Amino acid sequence: MMIDFELTEEQKSWQKKAREFVNQYIVPNADKYDRTGEFPQPIVEKAKEYGLLALAAPKDLGGPGLDAMSSALVNEELGKGCVGMQTTLGGNGLSSYPVLFGGNREQIKLYFKHILNGELAAFALTEPGAGSDPGAIRTVAVRKGDHYVINGTKCFCTNGGHAGVYTVFASTNLSERNRGLSAFIVEADQKGITVGKKENKMGIRASNTVEVIFNDVSVPVNRRIGDEGQGFKIAMKTLDVARLSVGATAVGLCKRILTETIQFVQNEKKNGKPLAASQYIQFKLADMATRAEAAEGLIDKTCYLKDSGRPYSKESAMSKTFATDSAMQLAETAVEIFGPCGYLRESNIEKLMRDAKVMQIYEGTNQIQRIVIANHVLKGR
Ligand code: COS
């Protein structure tokens, strides 16, 4: 059988749309939002016009219901523009999947009413004592008749300060750890929700990362996604998708770093010759380009597996790890090639390095990804 890398017309049109959006609105503004750490509300408004806020919304609700390949192409373009802004827009995908995987029809409708209306959403899983180990979650949801009462604090919550709706993971049985977790749709106007500390980050400064505090938040039972105790598996399935998105974004970042570096070595001269004439630089460029290409290949294969309904959890973890480690490696090499100029705030390259670093950490650290990968290979998968 021939392996086909040709994009469909629909995939090409999403790639084109995202590229246009990035070039017109993200590239000219990325530096400003990086410096100020201000929330890019005008860009979010534009993303809404372009239909980039509701990529996961099902077709029968009027959304695009994108396949994995189209989503990856969009994320790659966003990653070329600004990883912080991708993180903001991507937050809507991340928080949508628990509802798509575990929700009933009414819940899907309720949830996507917010998203299709152009609102942002937030995925509230991580807590101060529960990052890599969701089993340690201390936020509780206690059933009281036809409601649950949620109490607890979430941290590092992307879009947490701007979300119209949250998917919240809370324990309905603390002694059961992972198996005691349940997922809920919580609308932001619910009484008892407060937004806490806003993090001042090294990179992805155009994204909003906050603490969200739930204090006696009353949530109707029909907002529980799936059964009690299904929350962990819903979160893991969601992270399988999210890790692929991070990988695709990192491919975009790799390509951006490569483009900036090629431009630099062609323009910068040493002893009257462009840096690009040096074989040392050429070897570096060759390795950078090969890594970017290999990362893209891994993403394409994982999208293929997902779109054809096959298991892709291992490949998603591999995609995230390889693409984000590659982005960091390319960024380091680029800064080295740029020399002192690469270390300056006014260079194009140092932001890319700061943004690359977090990609090895969020959506499950690359150490966690290696555990996931090893668990699969040890079981012969
Ligand atoms: N899809 C569906 N089910 C999954 C799954 C997946 N991707 N991964 C695990 N599960 C299931 C397992 O099959 C197992 O099911 P049974 O109880 O029926 O046997 C159950 O979930 C528990 O799995 P496991 O024993 O592997 O869980 P661990 O507690 O060992 O945790 C890791 C595994 C470390 C991989 C998990 O805790 C993890 O991914 N942590 C990182 C969390 C993270 O990424 N946080 C950042 C969020 S960014 S907002």
Side-chain angles (χ1 to χ4, degrees):
M1 194 186 83
M2 267 253 301
I3 293 176
D4 186 1
F5 286 102
E6 202 57 55
L7 299 179
T8 65
E9 287 311 311
E10 193 186 357
Q11 289 163 349
K12 280 186 206 162
S13 86
W14 277 100
Q15 184 184 47
K16 185 164 171 269
K17 190 199 284 253
R19 194 168 284 166
E20 195 182 294
F21 170 75
V22 165
N23 289 337
Q24 211 163 333
Y25 301 104
I26 292 192
V27 172
N29 292 303
D31 185 55
K32 174 183 125 189
Y33 289 106
D34 174 57
R35 275 167 205 280
T36 60
E38 214 179 282
F39 190 68
Q41 191 59 40
I43 313 287
V44 171
E45 302 295 331
K46 284 287 167 200
K48 178 185 168 185
E49 281 173 33
Y50 272 72
L52 295 172
L53 281 186
L55 299 180
K59 284 193 167 132
D60 60 357
L61 292 182
L66 282 201
D67 62 354
M69 193 64 214
S70 302
S71 298
L73 292 165
V74 169
N75 282 319
E76 183 185 318
E77 294 307 316
L78 294 172
K80 286 180 193 165
C82 174
V83 177
M85 293 194 200
Q86 186 285 332
T87 302
T88 300
L89 306 183
N92 273 20
L94 175 63
S95 49
S96 295
Y97 282 98
V99 188
L100 287 171
F101 289 142
N104 59 35
R105 182 76 190 152
E106 286 315 304
Q107 291 172 335
I108 292 175
K109 271 176 141 166
L110 166 84
Y111 179 82
F112 281 101
K113 188 183 75 187
H114 289 277
I115 305 277
L116 287 163
N117 197 26
E119 292 173 32
L120 287 175
F123 177 81
L125 176 74
T126 301
E127 296 184 6
S132 290
D133 176 17
I137 280 178
R138 284 292 165 269
T139 294
V140 289
V142 177
R143 181 135 182 198
K144 299 247 164 87
D146 60 356
H147 278 69
Y148 283 92
V149 179
I150 299 183
N151 277 291
T153 298
K154 297 291 178 180
C155 64
F156 299 129
C157 185
T158 296
N159 291 343
H162 297 268
V165 64
Y166 299 86
T167 41
V168 179
F169 293 82
S171 179
T172 41
N173 186 342
L174 282 172
S175 62
E176 288 284 321
R177 292 184 45 85
N178 283 350
R179 289 195 174 85
L181 291 182
S182 304
F184 299 88
I185 299 172
V186 181
E187 288 167 294
D189 56 6
Q190 207 79 17
K191 211 166 136 246
I193 302 176
T194 41
V195 176
K197 183 175 170 236
K198 177 184 173 227
E199 304 298 348
N200 185 10
K201 307 187 295 295
M202 173 204 271
I204 57 163
R205 292 173 54 75
S207 69
N208 172 260
T209 312
V210 293
E211 208 176 44
V212 183
I213 301 124
F214 297 86
N215 186 12
D216 282 339
V217 177
S218 180
V219 177
V221 169
N222 66 10
R223 305 286 163 87
R224 189 192 64 227
I225 307 169
D227 291 333
E228 279 194 7
Q230 285 187 342
F232 182 73
K233 285 190 187 172
I234 290 173
M236 289 302 112
K237 283 169 82 175
T238 297
L239 289 173
D240 284 344
V241 186
R243 289 166 184 168
L244 179 55
S245 305
V246 173
T249 308
V251 167
L253 181 55
C254 286
K255 290 186 181 177
R256 168 75 185 276
I257 294 168
L258 192 57
T259 307
E260 297 285 347
T261 311
I262 291 168
Q263 223 170 56
F264 181 79
V265 298
Q266 283 175 336
N267 293 329
E268 196 70 12
K269 293 209 166 57
K270 194 175 166 209
N271 301 332
K273 282 190 187 160
L275 278 184
S278 144
Q279 215 170 49
Y280 175 79
I281 298 291
Q282 289 175 8
F283 287 0
K284 291 275 182 197
L285 283 180
D287 286 346
M288 289 166 86
T290 306
R291 269 202 162 258
E293 192 78 28
E296 188 175 12
L298 202 41
I299 304 297
D300 288 351
K301 175 168 178 198
T302 310
C303 289
Y304 164 77
L305 292 174
K306 181 171 189 291
D307 284 335
S308 56
R310 293 169 166 87
Y312 66 100
S313 181
K314 177 188 74 178
E315 289 77 5
S316 171
M318 287 174 163
S319 297
K320 195 266 182 187
T321 308
F322 188 78
T324 61
D325 282 352
S326 296
M328 192 59 207
Q329 211 169 308
L330 261 67
E332 276 176 8
T333 308
V335 169
E336 198 181 302
I337 291 175
F338 275 60
C341 306
Y343 203 68
L344 302 180
R345 283 302 290 262
E346 52 267 38
S347 79
N348 283 335
I349 212 79
E350 64 86 38
K351 170 185 183 289
L352 307 183
M353 186 173 186
R354 287 186 282 109
D355 287 352
K357 188 63 212 171
V358 76
M359 305 187 88
Q360 296 175 299
I361 300 170
Y362 68 11
E363 244 79 316
T365 64
N366 285 3
Q367 289 76 17
I368 287 290
Q369 308 307 321
R370 287 180 170 91
I371 293 175
V372 173
I373 298 163
N375 283 343
H376 279 282
V377 297
L378 286 169
K379 286 177 185 147
R381 294 202 289 252

